[in-house]
Amino acid sequence: MEAPHNSPAAETAPKPARTDPASAPNPAGTDPAAAPASTASAEHGGSAGGAGTVPEAVTVALTVTSPEEMQELGRRLARVLAPGDLVMLTGELGAGKTTLTRGLGEGLGVRGAVTSPTFVIARVHPSLSGGPALVHVDAYRLGGGLDEMEDLDLDVSLPESVVVVEWGDGKVEELSDDRLRVLIDRATGDTDDERREVTLVGIGARWAGLREALG
């Protein structure tokens, strides 16, 4: 579903003024008809009790069977997103993270073709309609925690943008108490099976209505 990472060292991502902006026009007619992903199940996770109770994590499980359905899921999810949202994508190489993000970009109506930002770490796609920009981050080669991502200034970009981070687990959680984790599982080994199990976990009060919004 997506090309594996290449081996050359990635460019160090600069601060927003120097972050590589997408300049290609948003392709017309790139929203092919595709059947939406079917909902396999939806359930609420646990919550922390006591004073200042943490809102329940909302979990929605989906099955997609093709790259087109994965991209359509991104377009559906884009309707739910708003400025300030942090989306973390987890899945092995080829799982479909960039394909999903491409659908997000189409749904948000941003400029530029969404591709893996492997060599620039972060790429900004401005909105074509006055909506939030899409900040697409690839944290594959970044070890450690948020300290190693300070040069990206994601905390500055987040309030006015939708920030999507591939390989962000353990690295960007400190950016927001409210975040959406998207876990993509695919069949392992040498297989042409396009089936993917996608689990969306909405953490924080922002995502309390995730199941209904995607319904």
Side-chain angles (χ1 to χ4, degrees), residues 1 62-64 70 94-95 185-186 193-198:
M1 284 196 182
L62 307 167
T63 298
V64 299
M70 184 68 77
D185 291 320
R186 69 177 181 89
D193 188 357
E194 297 285 2
R195 184 184 180 89
R196 303 289 190 265
E197 301 299 333
V198 182

Side-chain angles (χ1 to χ4, degrees), residues 138-174:
D138 188 330
Y140 183 70
R141 290 182 179 81
L142 299 179
L146 189 60
D147 288 346
E148 292 194 25
M149 302 186 74
E150 284 185 350
D151 284 344
L152 298 179
D153 278 347
L154 295 181
D155 54 339
V156 175
S157 303
L158 185 57
E160 299 177 352
S161 309
V162 170
V163 175
V164 177
V165 184
E166 299 186 26
W167 306 97
D169 281 1
K171 300 172 184 177
V172 298
E173 286 87 349
E174 296 175 40

Side-chain angles (χ1 to χ4, degrees), residues 40-207:
S41 65
E43 61 186 1
H44 289 277
S47 63
T53 299
V54 177
E56 291 183 338
V58 179
T59 301
V60 179
L62 307 167
T63 298
V64 299
T65 60
S66 68
E68 292 77 19
E69 284 193 7
M70 184 68 77
Q71 198 159 330
E72 172 63 17
L73 175 58
R75 288 190 287 266
R76 289 173 59 198
L77 184 57
R79 297 196 293 265
V80 181
L81 297 177
D85 284 341
L86 172 64
V87 181
M88 300 165 54
L89 305 183
T90 299
E92 62 185 68
L93 294 172
K97 298 183 296 298
T98 299
T99 300
L100 178 68
T101 307
R102 188 172 299 119
L104 288 175
E106 291 179 3
L108 290 171
V110 299
R111 186 177 73 216
V114 175
T115 59
S116 177
T118 302
F119 298 109
V120 293
I121 306 298
R123 180 175 288 120
V124 178
H125 296 270
S127 173
L128 292 170
S129 59
L134 171 65
V135 180
H136 185 198
V137 181
D138 188 330
Y140 183 70
R141 290 182 179 81
L142 299 179
L146 189 60
D147 288 346
E148 292 194 25
M149 302 186 74
E150 284 185 350
D151 284 344
L152 298 179
D153 278 347
L154 295 181
D155 54 339
V156 175
S157 303
L158 185 57
E160 299 177 352
S161 309
V162 170
V163 175
V164 177
V165 184
E166 299 186 26
W167 306 97
D169 281 1
K171 300 172 184 177
V172 298
E173 286 87 349
E174 296 175 40
L175 284 174
S176 178
D177 292 333
D178 297 276
R179 54 192 180 272
L180 179 65
R181 296 185 67 226
V182 181
L183 297 87
I184 306 175
D185 291 320
R186 69 177 181 89
T188 58
D190 185 12
T191 176
D192 294 329
D193 188 357
E194 297 285 2
R195 184 184 180 89
R196 303 289 190 265
E197 301 299 333
V198 182
T199 305
L200 298 95
V201 182
I203 301 169
R206 161 73 178 93
W207 300 103

